[in-house]
Amino acid sequence: MLDLNNYGITMWNDEKIASFRRTLLAWYDENKRDLPWRRTKNPYHIWVSEIMLQQTQVITVIPYYTRFLEWFPTISDLAKAPEEKILKAWEGLGYYSRVKNMQKAAQQVEEVFSGQFPSHYQDILSLKGIGPYTAGAIASIAFQEPTPAVDGNVMRVLARLFEVDYDIGDPKNIKLFQAIMTRLIDPERPGDFNQAFMDLGTDIESAKNPRPDESPIRFFSGAYLHGTMDKYPIKKPKKKPRPIHLEAFIIQNQKGEYLLEKNTQDKLLGGFWSFPMLEKKVIETQLDLFDTDNSRPVDFKSQKESFLEKYPLKITWSDYTFPLVKHVFSHQKWEVELIEGKALSDQLSSEKVLIWLPEKEFSNYPFATPQKKMWQTYQKIKQEKRAK
């Protein structure tokens, strides 16, 4: 256990900790949100909700949670499901490695734990894609194990309570906040205690526009009592996402079917289908770009030429122009230019995983949000031009 004094944090005495627990839990009992995963102690259901809630708002998660459990009622169902089906279930939630890791973890449960979800923190932590926060949440809520569940919301509340002068965005500092929470957590109601912190951190003690005067724990809060709410938590700004410029090729064959490619390489959207895409960059066809005699222009391949090299088709290109499609990931900012064309034959000899698909079958294939945006933009412009 960390010595909190070494971090400039004076922990409360037992009487004050007990008073804090009573105050927080009394508020939670009166104000807790009625959420579907709070009506169960099933660890599988709680696990699904916790993974979905990572980087995603509650209101968005609820319908996904309900449908996911309808499609995969048991851990065994999830372990055996085709990848395309789990991606379809997750379609639109983003951060798709989450559901892929869930399936791997479900397979671990089947193989290592005989199909029974493990009931202790360390065993839960051993599952693929489950970190200390999720393991603590499941262990405390489903099994009443007094283990802390520390995420950004909880760290924000703790930073204000104890005026913690350490960056909550630095991963190496999480052990400090876990140590504080370990001292505070109620041993009789650990699940409710963790969820009370979560609720407080997402609403009254939120990152933007907190309402400290409404906080049930304001008279325990060092930042509130000392007028330092504007200082805490300490968090360095995130790096801006890197801009990526892409071109997406919307190619139809003579039957009106669309060319789609399965992403088998990129971890970001691996397993999803989309229109073929190439990163938009200049591709040199001459080695000597610095031709000192200026006697000849430097020759560059067009993106269409690059496409035809990777996708050997005969294409008649359209002159339609479409608005840029924009999508922001946590680390990348995509700007996608749409290029339309007609293929003169159906033959697909590329090593890539390609299919011709009619529009009516799009709903049967997993499409990530960027693909959906591209399709919506394409349809809108085509409809507008037909109406003229």
Side-chain angles (χ1 to χ4, degrees), residues 183-252:
R183 291 291 306 277
L184 296 180
I185 194 167
D186 190 299
E188 302 298 325
R189 297 177 60 188
D192 287 345
F193 189 86
N194 279 329
Q195 290 180 103
F197 255 85
M198 295 173 203
D199 281 7
L200 197 60
T202 56
D203 183 19
I204 293 173
E205 293 266 8
S206 61
K208 295 179 180 178
N209 304 315
R211 307 187 306 279
D213 290 330
E214 297 177 29
S215 176
I217 58 170
R218 61 190 178 280
F219 296 121
F220 293 88
S221 172
Y224 182 82
L225 296 172
H226 300 147
T228 57
M229 286 290 293
D230 59 338
K231 179 180 177 182
Y232 298 100
I234 293 171
K235 187 176 183 181
K236 292 178 182 176
K238 289 182 180 179
K239 291 182 180 178
K240 291 184 178 180
R242 180 169 61 94
I244 304 286
H245 302 282
L246 300 159
E247 286 186 331
F249 295 84
I250 304 178
I251 309 298
Q252 282 183 284

Side-chain angles (χ1 to χ4, degrees), residues 347-358:
Q347 291 184 344
L348 298 174
S349 57
S350 171
E351 295 179 358
K352 298 174 181 294
V353 182
L354 301 168
I355 56 171
W356 292 106
L357 194 69

Side-chain angles (χ1 to χ4, degrees), residues 72-102:
F72 315 109
T74 68
I75 291 174
S76 178
D77 292 321
L78 176 58
K80 294 182 292 189
E83 184 185 66
E84 284 204 351
K85 188 172 182 180
I86 66 167
L87 290 175
K88 189 68 181 175
W90 210 266
E91 185 182 81
L93 271 180
Y95 300 93
Y96 295 102
S97 62
R98 294 183 293 174
V99 73
K100 294 179 184 178
N101 286 337
M102 280 186 70

Side-chain angles (χ1 to χ4, degrees), residues 60 64 67-68 71 84-94 96 99 272-273 362-369 371-372:
T60 301
Y64 279 95
R67 185 179 68 175
F68 195 90
W71 286 17
E84 284 204 351
K85 188 172 182 180
I86 66 167
L87 290 175
K88 189 68 181 175
W90 210 266
E91 185 182 81
L93 271 180
Y96 295 102
V99 73
F272 282 90
W273 292 83
F362 278 14
S363 61
N364 297 327
Y365 287 73
F367 288 171
T369 301
Q371 169 65 17
K372 290 183 176 181

Side-chain angles (χ1 to χ4, degrees), residues 8 17 21 42 51 56 73 86 100 147 152 163 172 234 250 254-255 285 308-309 333 350-351 358-359 385:
I17 290 174
R21 290 170 179 165
N42 185 320
I51 298 298
T56 311
I86 66 167
K100 294 179 184 178
T147 50
E163 296 178 292
K172 72 174 182 288
I234 293 171
I250 304 178
Q254 299 301 310
K255 301 174 189 173
T285 57
L308 294 174
E309 285 184 358
K333 182 179 180 180
S350 171
E351 295 179 358
E359 179 186 342
K385 293 195 175 183

Side-chain angles (χ1 to χ4, degrees), residues 11-22 183:
M11 180 45 65
W12 305 326
N13 60 32
D14 290 347
E15 183 179 351
K16 187 170 182 178
I17 290 174
S19 176
F20 177 81
R21 290 170 179 165
R22 288 193 300 270
R183 291 291 306 277

